[in-house]
Amino acid sequence: MSFFEKLDLEKKLNICTGSFFEKSNGFPSRDGLVEILTNQIKFKNVKNFNDRHSLFEVSQSFVDSVIGTKQSLYRRIQGIYEYKKDNNNYLDTLIEAGLVGAVINTNYDSSIEENINVKKITPYDKESFTDGKIRLYKVLGDLNNYENCAITEQDFRRLKVLPFYEVFWESIRYELKLRSTIFLGVDFDDSDFFKIFDFILSKNCEDIKPIYMITSNSILNPKVMEFFNKHNIKVLASTEHEFFKELKNYTKNENINLSRLFPEMYSELMNEKKFQW
């Protein structure tokens, strides 16, 4: 039985974006941002990081050590994104194929925000009326607005505990109860990703639809496996290419153009055929 035959596609899917989408778009992953910041900034008299993969922790150390203010940190991160590409063929294809009900994004990229079928929602929004559009949940806010962007551990803690933001979190939980969810392209070293979703899934999520993790990587981190077991997340061994290929075969949707989505892979295949005798 096809993977997609097990899903209720009449209700579409939730897509949680990971580093795969960032890299395909020319944006850095959260772990990539950590590497950039630690290389740019000379941390002096700062405690050793408990988790050097956590952008939350590295950013908090930057602010706490008086190396700089949150505003200067924000400007650094904003500058990294300023000249990057701003499109995402993968997500746009899923949207055009009518297969996505909501997108949950834990990064700072601006992918698909300009798509006319998409409505961006952040924790800081006072209203979230979507008029039938696909909801794009930007969990950490908007990088275009300093006041409405969560970067440090303290920022995220505030999002978790202040009552004003509860409507936002409950909206995401509602999406998880409405339709099946795919985690696609997640970096297992991105501890912030798991921290965010552990918070989301640890409250009022008793009757959510199935959640699937698509990955071709081995899971060596016991904390990651503990997270999957705790929240009953099914791990499916598959590459992103296999995911979209099977999706196209099941839906027969011509909007899913594999050669456009994976140009390097198909370019290599064409070169191999070209030199075959």
Side-chain angles (χ1 to χ4, degrees), residues 78-270:
Q78 189 182 49
I80 293 169
Y81 283 82
E82 190 172 1
Y83 301 106
K84 295 294 182 181
K85 293 183 295 182
D86 190 17
N87 66 297
N88 197 308
N89 288 339
Y90 301 91
L91 287 174
D92 280 333
T93 295
L94 288 170
I95 290 169
E96 291 166 8
L99 295 171
V100 177
V103 177
I104 305 170
N105 185 306
T106 60
N107 296 301
Y108 298 118
D109 66 271
S110 53
S111 302
I112 72 171
E113 289 184 9
E114 301 303 320
N115 191 305
I116 61 173
N117 297 311
V118 169
K119 167 67 175 180
K120 178 175 65 176
I121 304 171
T122 80
Y124 305 93
D125 292 333
K126 294 181 179 179
E127 62 89 15
S128 58
F129 181 67
T130 59
D131 193 25
K133 294 186 176 184
I134 295 166
R135 290 166 293 281
L136 169 62
Y137 293 94
K138 297 298 293 288
V139 172
L140 300 177
D142 193 340
L143 196 60
N144 294 323
N145 189 324
Y146 164 70
E147 296 295 334
N148 295 340
C149 184
I151 301 175
T152 67
E153 188 76 55
Q154 187 175 21
D155 291 336
F156 182 58
R157 191 179 305 120
R158 189 177 296 112
L159 289 180
K160 290 193 297 182
V161 302
L162 294 184
F164 175 82
Y165 305 117
E166 186 60 26
V167 172
F168 174 82
W169 298 116
E170 284 302 315
S171 296
I172 293 179
R173 293 176 183 123
Y174 171 78
E175 306 285 0
L176 300 179
K177 295 175 183 179
L178 188 61
R179 59 184 77 88
S180 297
T181 300
I182 302 288
F183 286 176
L184 191 58
V186 174
D187 180 357
F188 292 154
D189 286 333
D190 182 2
S191 55
D192 292 343
F193 178 92
F194 294 101
K195 187 179 298 183
I196 291 167
F197 272 96
D198 188 58
F199 167 70
I200 293 172
L201 295 170
S202 294
K203 181 180 179 182
N204 300 333
C205 281
E206 295 77 15
D207 52 350
I208 62 173
K209 297 287 186 179
I211 298 178
Y212 302 90
M213 169 70 72
I214 306 292
T215 182
S216 59
N217 297 324
S218 299
I219 304 174
L220 304 177
N221 190 330
K223 290 185 178 179
V224 173
M225 281 306 305
E226 182 181 342
F227 171 85
F228 291 153
N229 293 331
K230 175 182 178 181
H231 299 295
N232 195 28
I233 295 172
K234 301 173 179 63
V235 180
L236 301 179
S238 176
T239 64
E240 287 79 13
H241 175 262
E242 290 168 346
F243 170 83
F244 281 96
K245 182 178 179 180
E246 189 170 347
L247 183 65
K248 179 173 183 175
N249 290 340
Y250 178 70
T251 62
K252 309 298 182 185
N253 195 304
E254 293 304 317
N255 285 331
I256 302 176
N257 187 327
L258 295 174
S259 61
R260 179 168 68 95
L261 294 179
F262 301 91
E264 293 182 2
M265 175 180 293
Y266 280 81
S267 176
E268 291 176 1
L269 289 175
M270 291 301 294

